[in-house]
Amino acid sequence: MKNRMSELVTLLNRYAHEYYTKDTPSVSDSEYDQLYRELVSLEEKYPNDILPDSPTHRVGGKVLDGFEKYQHQYPLYSLQDAFSRAELEAFDERVRKEFPEAIYLCELKIDGLSISLSYENGILVAGATRGDGSIGENITENLKRVKDIPLTLPQPLTMTVRGECYMPKASFDEVNRFRQENGEAEFANPRNAAAGTLRQLDTAVVAKRNLSTFLYQEASPTTEVSQESVLKKLSKLGFAVNDNRVLASSIDQVWNFIEKISQERNKLPYEIDGIVIKVNSLAAQEELGFTVKAPKWAIAYKFPAEEKEAKLLSVDWTVGRTGVVTPTANLTPVQLAGTTVSRATLHNVDYIKEKDIRKDDTVIVYKAGDIIPAVLRVVETKRVSEEKLAVPKYCPSCESELLHFEDEVALRCINPLCPAQIREGLIHFASRDAMNITGLGPAVVEKLFSQGLVSDVAGIYRLQVEELLQLENFKEKSANKLYNAIQASRENSAERLLFGLGIRHVGSKASRILLEHFHDIPTLAKADLDTIASIDGLGLVIATSLHSYFEQEGTQTLLAELQEAGVNLAYLGEKVAADAILSGKTVVLTGKLETLTRTQAREKLLRLGANVASSVSKKTDLVIAGADAGSKLAKAQELGIEIQNEEWLEQL
């Protein structure tokens, strides 16, 4: 039987490589499944004979306790970015001073997560995230569930390779469809989805999400002489290697490739955000060397935000949880950064006036940060009407009169019983940074609200499993799962609850400061205006907002209902000491963090006493910069502000 198991493993791994890496399957799915079931049956009977490269290792079944730090034997460097042909020409000039006959290899810059894979005697022993380049996270078990990563190599090699793990567009669409049906927040883009998947503690989730890889570097010492020959070697060893690459002897040829890929980008089955240009000769790479952060022999050209013309059809005005009424443009559909866009934000009334956007205008649309569709400007030469856009006077949800305060750009509905505000408030209350009720996303809130099962946040805690089963697509398992998540949220520390109540001007940091000071919400509710305003880091605006909120009769009723439902109203966290290492400092996070999520990094900074801001100014004391940090980092450097990396933050 041991021989048959070995034969099956060899066959199944070959078929999987043909299917997932080469896209040239030689057997039908049913034939593969039949052989797979036979292997599973044999492994159940003879568990001591299971081979290390058995494809059964790729299925789920492990729940991890967490991720250990991983010290990279060979450091990973960031790449210098270029945003124009002129910057590429400057790079070329620097290279040719040393190597006049340099040849470049141009590769696609995959928009995923950098990974490192280490093999000993041909067996995968470690897989890790990039981290800060020196220390990442050990995610070996999760990477074993990525089907195109070889568990063993055809030769007993000891080597470390680098690449990018990404989520194909088709997998991304499927994952988001599933999350929407289950009331979970959808991923913003495939990169976020890939990063979130690789940090899952349940390997079964990773196995289901169908991640893929492209490998591009042999990090350990190699006998190859060029980047191109390294890629060919990796392909022969069974790694997925991107064939969409070209050798170029001049920047003209590099630019031709960039323009070609720019045209084909949206047709690719995966997301890319640029082109990486490397000196092909490894000997030349070694001689050119590195700066402190980046190799001198490579540069990453980043695509500019794609812009498209679209016809403005109409404008929808929607009400947020704080009563702000936001305009969204309905457009003729256009393909933008790989997706069909038919709606884009217009931000606010002042933005519409500033850009002079009128009825039936043709507008330029782009994706802000490659994520959020937005209207950039009007194509005035194609204007067909001088009629200005109608600005509503009454709330589209409750028909109360809208106000436009002098100190803000937004229209606002101030009716506390506005259905739209209540619905959005419920979504905010259940969100990750507030009460973190898994499964209670926008779609589920909409169902609960429209069926009259919940009308305020206290109503969430009166829900029973039988009522949840009334919701469309809810079965016993999903109903029990949501019910249990609701019960677990009762035990949250009270700063989450305070933030979840959605009080104007009271964010997560202010909520923490307030509860550290007053210890529980009932005590805070009785505090006078001056006492609140005198707390360091708050001030009169927040104090006035809180005082007004707690004076309302409805607020007192709500707090009583929450207390009766067993929701914790006391602060359970540790108080930030006045002499905390970052106490009083204003800190800005920028760039892509690898080992911490943005929320985790923000939470840590708050625990260390920092004031976390969103933009860099003269008042900024410190910037924490991750990979691909852009304008915020540049501004910090210009202002001479202290800059640290993610590793520095983790060590505090």
Side-chain angles (χ1 to χ4, degrees), residues 349-503:
V349 176
D350 285 6
Y351 187 83
I352 291 173
K353 291 179 180 177
E354 177 193 334
K355 298 296 182 181
D356 191 24
I357 301 170
R358 304 194 181 192
K359 185 181 178 183
D360 300 327
D361 267 348
T362 297
V363 295
I364 299 296
V365 189
Y366 76 114
K367 279 193 177 181
D370 271 346
I371 299 172
I372 303 168
V375 172
L376 180 62
R377 64 180 181 275
V378 172
V379 183
E380 292 189 15
T381 56
K382 295 187 177 182
R383 174 163 282 166
V384 295
S385 171
E386 294 299 321
E387 184 179 342
K388 294 183 181 294
L389 289 178
V391 175
K393 294 182 179 179
Y394 300 98
C395 175
S397 176
C398 69
E399 299 186 352
S400 298
E401 186 177 358
L402 296 177
L403 301 179
H404 191 178
F405 295 104
E406 290 183 6
D407 62 340
E408 61 180 15
V409 297
L411 284 173
R412 189 179 292 276
C413 170
I414 60 170
N415 175 16
L417 299 178
C418 174
Q421 290 183 59
I422 295 171
R423 186 171 56 249
E424 291 298 319
L426 289 167
I427 293 169
H428 169 73
F429 184 83
S431 66
R432 183 171 57 184
D433 290 342
M435 294 300 276
N436 194 25
I437 305 175
T438 304
L440 191 55
V444 175
V445 167
E446 179 63 43
K447 292 174 185 176
L448 290 168
F449 189 75
S450 62
Q451 293 185 31
L453 293 173
V454 171
S455 59
D456 62 18
V457 297
I460 292 172
Y461 295 98
R462 292 191 287 269
L463 286 168
Q464 300 299 314
V465 173
E466 294 75 19
E467 293 173 304
L468 295 174
L469 286 169
Q470 298 174 24
L471 302 180
E472 185 183 357
N473 296 325
F474 261 67
K475 304 298 182 188
E476 190 170 345
K477 183 178 179 181
S478 53
N480 278 305
K481 188 176 179 181
L482 176 53
Y483 179 80
N484 291 334
I486 291 170
Q487 307 321 305
S489 73
R490 297 175 196 263
E491 309 300 323
N492 287 340
S493 187
E495 73 274 13
R496 281 185 170 273
L497 173 60
L498 184 62
F499 176 55
L501 292 174
I503 305 166

Side-chain angles (χ1 to χ4, degrees), residues 14-77:
R14 192 182 87 205
Y15 296 152
H17 181 67
E18 292 170 348
Y19 184 89
Y20 291 107
T21 306
K22 297 298 185 183
D23 198 23
T24 55
S26 61
V27 295
S28 66
D29 289 352
S30 59
E31 187 175 345
Y32 179 92
D33 290 341
Q34 185 178 344
L35 293 173
Y36 187 88
R37 284 194 295 272
E38 182 185 349
L39 177 61
V40 170
S41 176
L42 289 173
E43 288 184 345
E44 287 174 351
K45 291 178 183 176
Y46 307 101
N48 293 331
D49 293 332
I50 296 176
L51 295 169
D53 58 339
S54 169
T56 60
H57 291 312
R58 296 198 184 277
V59 300
K62 288 189 178 182
V63 177
L64 309 175
D65 293 329
F67 300 112
E68 296 177 351
K69 298 299 179 205
Y70 183 86
Q71 178 72 54
H72 292 295
Q73 183 178 359
Y74 308 100
L76 289 84
Y77 288 84

